[in-house]
Amino acid sequence: MNVLLDHFPEFRDGFLGTLAITAASALLALVLGILIAGFRVSPIPPLRVFGTAWVTVLRNTPLTLLFLVAFFVVPQVLIPGTSPFVLATLALGFYTSSFVCEAVRSGISTVPIGQAEAARSLGMTFSQTLRMIVLPQATRTVLPPLSSIFIALTKNSAIAGAFSVAELFSVSKLLSDKGFAIGWIFLWIALAYLVITFAISGLFRVLERRMGVAR
Amino acid sequence: MSEVSGTGSTEAPAPAGDQLVVLDNVNKHFGALHVLQDIDLTIHRGEVVVVIGPSGSGKSTLCRTINRLETIDSGAISIDGKPLPQEGRELARLRADVGMVFQSFNLFAHKTVLENVVLGQTKVRRTDKAAAEKKARALLDRVGVGTQADKYPAQLSGGQQQRVAIARALAMDPKVMLFDEPTSALDPEMINEVLEVMQQLARDGMTMVVVTHEMGFARSAANRVVFMADGRIVEEAEPNQFFNNPRSDRAKDFLSKILHH
Ligand SMILES: Nc1ncnc2c1ncn2[C@@H]1O[C@H](COP(=O)(O)OP(=O)(O)OP(=O)(O)O)[C@@H](O)[C@H]1O
Ligand SMILES: [Mg+2]
């Protein structure tokens, strides 16, 4: 019990760290995921190939391996001196984007084809059709899987702790190394994750309800 | 075949003469199915062409190739002198000049009736919002659904939805309007309200290609009837000539079936 009160600043920083990296990679995953989903349904073959390759590679690679690539390959060949936070965000965001992409793509396929045909017949471009007609109607079906994806992302962010990013999991490691009772540490850490994941599913429930009455 | 198709247009010359839509030796396959076979068809400005034929004869496909919702395997299609470009911005620009009305309406389900008619104007034609709304309301009044402007498509009857769809297409000031069985998904009592809007359009001089089973409309509004069977244009003639005195056996057979129903 005392471990929380005595080390509140560490717990707080860990909590904020997890929150920050989850939010940053969720945003990255969302933007990339929607973009790549657009690639995958685009009329341009090279974009479709790129989208398929993106999903296949990222979805089938263990996340830990992506972290290793991000921390040991990316700084060497691309951008030396990038902060661990950014590298971890890249690994998590890219990985999660493949799942977001597939959720968005399955949402797109629930929108009747006639909607896109009508938009194209009016002279709307492919990207206008996608942004203004198809994606807004796909949103409702995409929200539930997206909620699960972001909850998984929250928990996956623990891996970043092992790569010297200050977040909840690294706090537990720090304190247990100092010899505090591991049971209590884990309990508090687990509760902190619960707060975040509950907040995510709550947020998505609100969004779903809002979409429900919007029509 | 050329002898049959030639006569129709010489007997009833199109109102304004110049060629707006030209299909030249168009062929298309769906896998092994040769759905369009050597299609030659010229539609003149101001002309109303009705396409009829048995189910599966390729009428919808023909209609959809004209704005390239379906690609073709060989041949050429041009609209107002310009060949249909590849998918991209240029094709989008050309599609804006070709109005399309679908059997299943395809109104944007997440937009109100007014927004449906405004969207193409503001996003494609770059008209400013106030002008677009004004025009949309005028068009909705013209097709008789002005009071429904703020509803969502799902709140309208089929006949009302189809009239909104016509207004949406007209809002782009198209050079030609394509109708693919616009009344086939409607309850009988709603068919006439849509046909009347189309009749009025025809009288106003709109160039129209209409795939339909409504023979009354074909008789009264068409300058020319194109009869398709098995992916070919079997006969082309002026409506009176076609209905009273069809030349091909396929057309005779088809007419005897539908007129005895
Ligand atoms: N996307 C497609 N893929 C494969 N075959 C298709 C496709 N669209 C149409 N077909 C086939 O092509 C043929 C012509 O279809 P089309 O829809 O043009 O006929 P239609 O004359 O409009 O018939 P209907 O009066 O029933 O609407 C049919 O045999 C149909 O099954
Ligand atoms: Mg059809």
Side-chain angles (χ1 to χ4, degrees), chain B residues 30 33 35 53-62 70 180-181 213:
Chain B
F30 281 124
L33 181 69
V35 55
S55 180
S57 55
K59 307 181 297 291
S60 297
T61 310
L62 175 72
E70 301 284 355
D180 186 7
E181 301 200 25
H213 296 296

Side-chain angles (χ1 to χ4, degrees), chain A residues 85-148:
Chain A
F85 181 86
V86 170
L87 293 175
T89 301
L90 286 179
L92 276 168
F94 276 42
Y95 177 76
T96 308
S97 76
S98 65
F99 294 90
V100 172
C101 169
E102 290 307 271
V104 170
R105 198 165 65 103
S106 73
I108 287 174
S109 68
T110 64
V111 179
I113 186 79
Q115 295 284 307
E117 285 183 351
R120 286 159 67 207
S121 300
L122 284 180
M124 293 171 77
T125 61
F126 171 77
S127 87
Q128 284 179 322
T129 302
L130 201 60
R131 279 184 292 120
M132 296 168 193
I133 305 300
V134 178
L135 285 178
Q137 295 188 62
T139 311
R140 263 199 83 181
T141 34
V142 174
L143 285 178
L146 216 49
S147 172
S148 312

Side-chain angles (χ1 to χ4, degrees), chain A residues 43 113-125 127-128 132-134 136-137 214-215, chain B residues 64 67 69 87 89 92 95-96 98 100 102 106-110 119 123-124 126 152 168 172:
Chain A
I113 186 79
Q115 295 284 307
E117 285 183 351
R120 286 159 67 207
S121 300
L122 284 180
M124 293 171 77
T125 61
S127 87
Q128 284 179 322
M132 296 168 193
I133 305 300
V134 178
Q137 295 188 62
R215 200 190 314 159
Chain B
R64 291 161 56 87
N67 68 354
L69 282 181
E87 197 73 43
R89 276 181 194 284
R95 275 188 182 133
V98 180
M100 176 105 185
F102 301 85
N106 295 346
L107 291 178
F108 304 132
H110 63 308
L119 195 70
K123 301 300 177 188
V124 177
R126 307 278 168 204
Y152 284 90
R168 175 175 70 178
M172 307 303 289

Side-chain angles (χ1 to χ4, degrees), chain B residues 78-150:
Chain B
S78 65
I79 291 174
D80 211 1
K82 290 192 218 77
L84 279 185
Q86 294 293 306
E87 197 73 43
R89 276 181 194 284
E90 214 187 319
L91 178 64
R93 213 168 301 134
L94 205 132
R95 275 188 182 133
D97 292 336
V98 180
M100 176 105 185
V101 176
F102 301 85
Q103 182 174 348
S104 49
F105 329 133
N106 295 346
L107 291 178
F108 304 132
H110 63 308
K111 304 262 180 209
T112 64
V113 164
L114 186 70
E115 288 167 342
N116 264 276
V117 185
V118 164
L119 195 70
Q121 298 183 64
T122 55
K123 301 300 177 188
V124 177
R125 295 286 192 218
R126 307 278 168 204
T127 314
D128 75 68
K129 196 151 189 267
E133 282 197 15
K134 188 159 172 255
K135 183 172 181 180
R137 288 192 191 278
L139 281 167
L140 289 171
D141 282 337
R142 179 168 154 198
V143 300
V145 287
T147 53
Q148 316 291 326
D150 298 319

Side-chain angles (χ1 to χ4, degrees), chain B residues 8-10 12-22 41-49 80 175-176 205-209 223-224 236:
Chain B
S9 40
T10 44
D18 61 331
Q19 306 183 337
L20 188 54
V21 179
V22 179
L41 180 64
T42 299
I43 292 146
H44 299 263
R45 207 180 296 275
E47 196 180 16
V48 177
V49 172
D80 211 1
K175 292 175 179 166
V176 51
M206 176 60 75
T207 311
M208 296 162 68
V209 177
N223 299 106
R224 185 155 46 121
E236 275 184 78

